């Protein structure tokens, strides 16, 4: 396996660094100082900058106006975004667009994907279910139902002939909690299950009938939404029901979150290195003290482990390459390192900064809050270790 990045992937990372170079983490009020969300909307100027740099169309096929790159390239961009706490649903928009492109209705894909690449549409995804503990697709039910286009009455099969304008679509009921920037999205991808137990992904618009958004605030202070669905109707085009579509989208979202953890951790370790190199005790920089150096070295090892497991997972998903375990095993390993690693990195940073790390005029506390949100999104490492153990139990290794 070769982890050398291609020229196109390196160019994407360089373009991302250029776009994010002008972003400052404290561009909005501190989450420690406001009772609600730090802002009502995403960073729209940054969103426009990502679109003009062709980073929103990075993983779209050329026929949709994109560069046709893979998940590895997207993770490189996400890594850079996390270093400045970029307040944009880059991961969610790109992941849903990739799922629509791979599994969705070709007509709807041709209609939406070019607009997504140009930054005209914002997408997000619900992946937490009701509580974040149970499978997200079980929180919403998708039922097939005949409906009319103009009479406004349901068509009941077997009772009467359907009008000429009747069509069979889907009705959604349930809820998804903690949907990132749901209020700013034009489309929300909602995992659901059918009567047959199949996992599907429904694309809904926040403004359509039956959709209600309740205000939630993330640990990082960002505006999230609890999306409630009551008899929400969508047509066949808006339901992504290809075999494995939700599992693939979930894998993209999870791996992208690991990329965010890596970028954030690297920024925090660099911040800690700069601080301990300048802070003096007994006439010497604290970075020269053995106990400080050892702790920083341990966190560097955490980051390198997070990095290699991230690229392994992204590479397996992008190439579909075979392995001793399914790709889910590589994703579980990446989640284990990202969830535990990002927590250890920020805790050590706070320790080595002393009380200065909690100063709201210094950005470290913001990174700590974002790291905690990422850790909560990934879930506890013990759960991923259990999932990995189950895979090992069912796949004999040579």
């Amino acid at each position: 396996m070769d982890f050398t990045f291609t020229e196109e992937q390196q160019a994407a990372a360089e373009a991302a660094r250029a776009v994010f170079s002008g972003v400052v983490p404290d561009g909005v009020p501190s989450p420690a100082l406001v009772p609600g969300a730090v802002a009502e909307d995403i960073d729209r100027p940054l969103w426009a900058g990502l679109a003009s740099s062709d980073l929103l169309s990075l993983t779209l096929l050329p026929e949709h106006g994109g560069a046709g790159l893979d998940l590895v390239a997207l993770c490189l961009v996400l890594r850079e975004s996390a270093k400045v706490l970029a307040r944009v649903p880059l991961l969610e928009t790109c992941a849903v667009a990739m799922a629509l492109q791979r599994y969705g209705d070709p007509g709807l894909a041709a209609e939406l994907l070019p607009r997504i690449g140009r930054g005209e549409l914002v997408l997000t995804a619900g992946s937490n279910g009701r509580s974040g503990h149970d499978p997200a697709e079980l929180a919403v039910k998708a039922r097939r139902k005949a409906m009319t286009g103009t009479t406004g009455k349901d068509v009941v099969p077997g009772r009467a002939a359907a009008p000429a304008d009747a069509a069979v679509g889907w009705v959604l009921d349930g809820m998804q909690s903690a949907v990132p920037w749901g209020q700013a999205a034009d489309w929300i991808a909602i995992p659901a299950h059918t009567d047959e137990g199949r996992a599907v992904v429904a694309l809904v618009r926040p403004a359509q009938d039956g959709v209600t958004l309740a205000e939630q605030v993330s640990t990082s202070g960002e505006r999230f939404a609890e999306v409630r669905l009551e008899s929400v109707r969508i047509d066949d085009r808006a339901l992504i029901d290809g075999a494995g579509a939700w599992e693939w989208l979930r894998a993209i979202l999870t791996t992208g979150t690991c990329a965010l953890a890596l970028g954030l951790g690297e920024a925090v370790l660099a911040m800690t290195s700069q601080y301990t190199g300048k802070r003096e005790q007994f006439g010497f920089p604290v970075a020269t003290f053995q106990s400080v150096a050892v702790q920083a070295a341990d966190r560097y090892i955490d980051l390198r482990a997070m990095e290699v497991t991230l690229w392994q997972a992204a590479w397996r998903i992008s190439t579909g390459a075979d392995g001793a375990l399914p790709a889910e095993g590589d994703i579980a390993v990446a989640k284990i390192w990202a969830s535990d690693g990002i927590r250890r990195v920020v805790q050590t940073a706070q320790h080595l900064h002393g009380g200065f790390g909690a100063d709201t005029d210094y950005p470290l506390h913001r990174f700590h809050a974002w790291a905690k949100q990422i850790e909560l999104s990934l879930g506890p490492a013990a759960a991923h270790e259990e999932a990995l153990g189950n895979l090992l139990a069912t796949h004999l290794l040579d």
Side-chain angles (χ1 to χ4, degrees), residues 74-199:
L74 176 59
C75 285
L76 285 167
V77 175
L78 291 169
R79 179 189 193 178
E80 298 301 322
S81 76
K83 293 178 181 179
V84 296
L85 307 183
R87 301 182 50 262
V88 287
L90 177 61
L91 168 59
E92 294 80 9
T93 293
C94 291
V96 176
M98 291 168 70
L100 175 59
Q101 178 173 257
R102 183 183 178 102
Y103 294 100
D105 178 82
L108 186 62
E111 177 185 333
L112 296 184
L113 293 180
R115 297 185 62 196
I116 293 170
R118 294 193 297 267
E120 298 172 4
L121 296 176
V122 173
L123 280 65
T124 190
S127 58
N128 292 302
R130 291 182 176 275
S131 64
H133 298 291
D134 299 320
E137 66 273 17
L138 299 183
V140 176
K141 180 69 176 292
R143 295 177 289 112
R144 290 285 276 170
K145 193 168 186 180
M147 50 192 100
T148 64
T150 58
T151 63
K153 298 179 180 179
D154 291 343
V155 179
V156 182
R159 290 190 182 178
D165 61 351
V168 177
W170 296 85
V171 177
L172 308 172
D173 288 284
M175 65 90 75
Q176 290 288 337
S177 182
V179 177
W181 292 294
Q183 296 86 347
D186 298 289
W187 291 84
I188 303 175
I190 301 290
H193 68 283
T194 67
D195 289 329
E196 299 81 20
R198 290 187 300 114

Side-chain angles (χ1 to χ4, degrees), residues 258-398:
C258 292
L260 295 174
L262 174 62
L264 190 150
E266 289 175 330
V268 167
L269 187 61
M271 190 184 309
T272 304
S273 175
Q274 292 173 4
Y275 177 79
T276 56
K278 296 177 181 178
R279 180 78 168 91
E280 291 189 358
Q281 287 286 350
F282 311 111
F284 296 94
V286 297
T288 63
F289 298 170
Q290 185 178 28
S291 61
V292 173
V294 167
Q295 291 182 69
D298 285 343
R299 301 297 77 83
Y300 176 82
I301 293 172
D302 278 335
L303 289 173
R304 296 292 68 79
M306 292 165 63
E307 183 176 17
V308 71
T309 54
L310 164 66
W311 300 133
Q312 169 76 5
W315 176 78
R316 286 291 303 278
I317 296 171
S318 297
T319 63
D322 292 329
L325 293 176
E328 289 82 357
D330 296 291
I331 297 171
V333 173
K335 289 165 72 176
I336 290 168
W337 278 103
S339 183
D340 267 359
I342 191 60
R343 173 178 50 80
R344 288 193 292 259
V345 168
V346 295
Q347 285 180 346
T348 297
Q350 288 284 10
H351 176 65
L352 297 182
H353 275 82
F356 201 59
D359 189 339
T360 56
D361 291 328
Y362 187 70
L364 180 58
H365 77 287
R366 295 175 182 268
F367 284 87
H368 199 157
W370 278 66
K372 179 56 67 174
Q373 179 62 44
I374 289 174
E375 182 189 356
L376 292 171
S377 298
L378 289 170
H384 313 319
E385 291 167 353
E386 181 179 356
L388 181 61
N390 291 336
L391 285 172
L392 289 168
T394 55
H395 293 80
L396 296 178
L397 302 181
D398 295 331

